Amino acid sequence: MLLYFILFVFLIIMPALPASAKMRIEGNEKCPCVNSSFFPSNEMKRKGYNFPGNVSEISEYGVNCSKHDENGFNECANTSHPSPPHCTRNWCYVDHTRCNLTHKISYYLPTRYYSYATCGELDSFTFTARRGSLKGEKLKVGYNANTGGWKGSYNKNGSFSTDDEWSGPIVDFIKEAALEGGFEIVKTAPPEWLHKGSMSFFGGSSKFDFCVYATSLGYLDFCVGSYTISTKRSSVTTMFETESDPVYLFVHDSANDGWEEFSYNFRLIGQPFSYGAWLLIFFFTLPVMGMLMVFHEYDHPGTAFPKNEVTFVDDCDNKEKPVEIESRKIPLYKHLLSSIYMAFLSFNEGAYSQGVVSISGKIHLIGLAAFVMLILAVYTANLAAILTQDANTSGIDSIKSAVRRGYNVCAERKIAQIVMEAYDVDGSVFVPDPEDGKPGFNCGTCKSRQRVFDFMNHTHTDGSLYCNVAISKLEDLEALQSEKLHCNKTKVGDAIHFALEGIPIYSGRADALVSIFQDLKAKGFMTKSLKAAAPESICPESGGEGTALNVDQLSGVWIVTFGFAMLALLSKCILYCKRRKRQKKSSRKIRTLRRHDQWGNPPPYEVIIGGYRYDAEGHELQKMGGHSTTITEEIEPLCDDHTHNHHEEGSHFTLRRSRSLMRGVASVIVE
């Protein structure tokens, strides 16, 4: 009973449904099917088609919405593989002058038009017919040799070579497409007499433009290579997009030139802190902390800042008493200078090594040590980050910053045109082509894509030939660095553009070839080809964590180190000349008996004068024994003109530095 009820409802409701809710056998009113009288009944037989059935069946083929190919017409009759989707879909022939829905001209009967849309079906036949239309065809194909990158087509014999030396991802893609479409590739060079027209239209002698030009006129079916899709190229012929390649701004690893580069690397060691921070550290904190140490330690027993010092006076004109021991007051400015020196030394050594004896001085030392520790920790961390990660930063990260600096740019013609349009950059910024003098390289024989990097010279003086920076596709530098070329070039900033790459196709072959190419691309064949061909850089890594620094990047270290070394030599010369000048003016020669090291500590030796040891506590000379067990090093006598006489009389004083072998005590001997 339930089955009868459902059947009853179906029969009642179906006639009441609007026409739009079901397929009309005569097609939609927007594109009605034609009847059998619209075309000659024997047209298909005249065309030679082998259609099974009688004449009446042929006359009904394509009339009204029906699965006309289901009975086994053409490829639908092949039982060796699954039938295409269109074999089981409804369609009909239509009058194209009265059809406002999707319809196409017949591939087999050019006088007829068909439509799947009027029957509510998708047209999969067109795609299948397009793919099959090239079977057995011989296509004239022009091969262009890309001058850069690794994603295009390459041949050592150059463009339009008809040999079998072609390689590259695009070449592999086209070979696979020929197998899929069943067509044969005939390598063909475009007629040379067309070159003049190409140069006139595109404004250059590029062989790639030449191939596009010949394809647009139908002399070639398509071209093989990696072609930048430009407005002008796509306006004359179909361009099938293969992939998009990022375009970057490229600089030298050290992008500054001449004195600017030297100055930049010198300033690199100061970059962890701002100028204000450095001024505060060197001209306030360290000097003040050092001088405060004098305030705490001055004239304490055992301090590095005593009030007086003992001097050895040699009066060469006084033969009766040529030697005197005197206590002289030390000028306060000497202690202040010494304390400032120690504060700076503690900053460089990372510790304050001078002995501190006063309680207040020891507390002050905690503050000084904490300051040095924290400042050095922050400085070291920041400097390490700058040297290993930012040392290669050129200071320019965009086209606008390069233009502001007055840099000129190398770029291929098509890239230069894109940048000029997108960023409103004047053409004078780009290095002109050596042949036509226009912005960007477009010369047919100069390998324009490699020339972009070959003519980067950040110390150049000829902007008409060389450039400071370059704009190019990333693949171009990747290919060069896989051969260890241009390892000193690097990209900066984000991609400034994505260049669309494609294949130019003659419009008469476009539908069929695009169908095949698109199908292959959708299956991932292009991606696989690119992945297999991707080069690996063999250049040394630059930048990043743990990277070795080069000599130039350490310019600041060399300058500081050898700067102080030269300053020390200069001070040595000045003090020597000053001492010699003072000796000529006076016969009294004064030397301190106790020398101190860089931290103000007394050296570990005793002062001995003529067999007498100087006792610092009693401020007197004490008799010493013999020195047969010592090794001595003579020091220049104070009074050269009395050396012989004083030695004979036993009154000459020669300063010797020795170390007692018996006691292991270092001594200064004055005999």
Side-chain angles (χ1 to χ4, degrees), residues 349-629:
E349 289 192 357
Y352 191 85
S353 299
Q354 168 59 43
V356 179
V357 296
S358 67
I359 295 177
S360 60
K362 292 176 181 178
I363 297 175
H364 180 75
L365 181 60
I366 295 176
L368 179 59
F371 171 77
V372 171
M373 178 192 69
L374 294 175
I375 288 296
L376 290 182
V378 175
Y379 176 84
T380 302
N382 285 354
L383 182 62
I386 291 171
L387 287 175
T388 57
Q389 297 180 11
D390 300 330
N392 291 334
T393 301
S394 64
I396 53 175
D397 55 4
S398 66
I399 299 175
K400 292 184 178 179
S401 61
V403 173
R404 281 197 303 267
R405 288 197 178 192
Y407 287 174
N408 53 338
V409 183
C410 288
E412 189 188 13
R413 175 69 54 80
K414 297 297 181 294
I415 298 297
Q417 290 173 344
I418 292 172
V419 171
M420 285 189 289
E421 293 175 2
Y423 291 89
D424 194 24
V425 176
D426 190 83
S428 61
V429 171
F430 293 90
V431 177
D433 184 84
E435 293 184 359
D436 60 22
K438 295 180 180 180
F441 302 140
N442 197 42
C443 41
T445 59
C446 68
K447 295 184 177 181
S448 57
R449 291 173 69 173
Q450 182 173 334
R451 184 184 178 89
V452 168
F453 296 100
D454 289 342
F455 282 78
M456 280 182 67
N457 184 348
H458 61 292
T459 59
H460 76 85
T461 57
D462 186 0
S464 64
L465 186 61
Y466 299 102
C467 59
N468 305 97
V469 297
I471 299 176
S472 179
K473 301 172 188 174
L474 181 59
E475 64 161 317
D476 291 348
L477 186 61
E478 289 175 339
L480 293 170
Q481 291 187 343
S482 69
E483 301 176 6
K484 210 172 183 179
L485 298 174
H486 296 287
C487 292
N488 61 337
K489 311 296 191 311
T490 184
K491 66 180 178 69
V492 292
D494 299 325
I496 61 177
H497 180 71
F498 285 88
L500 299 180
E501 306 295 321
I503 299 172
I505 305 173
Y506 169 54
S507 58
R509 300 286 193 181
D511 289 345
L513 287 172
V514 168
S515 297
I516 297 172
F517 292 164
Q518 189 61 50
D519 186 43
L520 274 182
K521 184 180 178 182
K523 292 177 180 177
F525 188 85
M526 175 60 75
T527 302
K528 293 178 182 178
S529 298
L530 291 173
K531 186 176 181 180
E536 183 177 351
S537 174
I538 58 175
C539 290
E541 292 186 3
S542 61
E545 184 177 357
T547 303
L549 303 174
N550 59 40
V551 175
D552 292 338
Q553 292 168 350
L554 295 176
S555 296
V557 177
W558 311 135
I559 293 173
V560 171
T561 301
F562 291 103
F564 278 105
M566 295 301 296
L567 185 62
L569 292 174
L570 179 62
S571 64
K572 178 72 174 178
C573 295
I574 293 174
L575 292 175
Y576 174 79
C577 295
K578 185 177 180 181
R579 185 169 58 249
R580 296 295 294 181
K581 184 177 181 180
R582 187 171 60 244
Q583 288 176 357
K584 292 180 180 180
K585 290 182 178 181
S586 174
S587 62
R588 289 172 58 83
K589 313 298 188 288
I590 302 174
R591 291 189 182 184
T592 57
L593 288 177
R594 304 290 291 184
R595 295 286 181 174
H596 301 85
D597 64 12
Q598 72 274 17
W599 290 108
N601 300 313
Y605 57 70
E606 296 176 330
V607 178
I608 301 174
I609 304 174
Y612 290 85
R613 182 180 67 85
Y614 171 72
D615 181 14
E617 294 182 0
H619 190 46
E620 61 181 1
L621 298 176
Q622 297 177 351
K623 183 67 175 178
M624 293 289 295
H627 303 286
S628 59
T629 59

Side-chain angles (χ1 to χ4, degrees), residues 142 144 146 151-153 170 173-174 208 211-212 222-230 233-234 237-245 449 473 475 499-505 517 521 526:
N144 271 126
N146 287 105
K151 299 179 180 180
S153 57
I170 291 294
F173 181 79
I174 295 302
F208 283 75
C211 200
V212 172
F222 66 95
C223 298
V224 176
S226 183
Y227 292 77
T228 300
I229 301 177
S230 65
R233 285 176 174 176
S234 58
T237 192
T238 301
M239 299 291 296
F240 173 75
E241 181 184 335
T242 54
E243 53 106 24
S244 62
D245 200 33
R449 291 173 69 173
K473 301 172 188 174
E475 64 161 317
L500 299 180
E501 306 295 321
I503 299 172
I505 305 173
F517 292 164
K521 184 180 178 182
M526 175 60 75

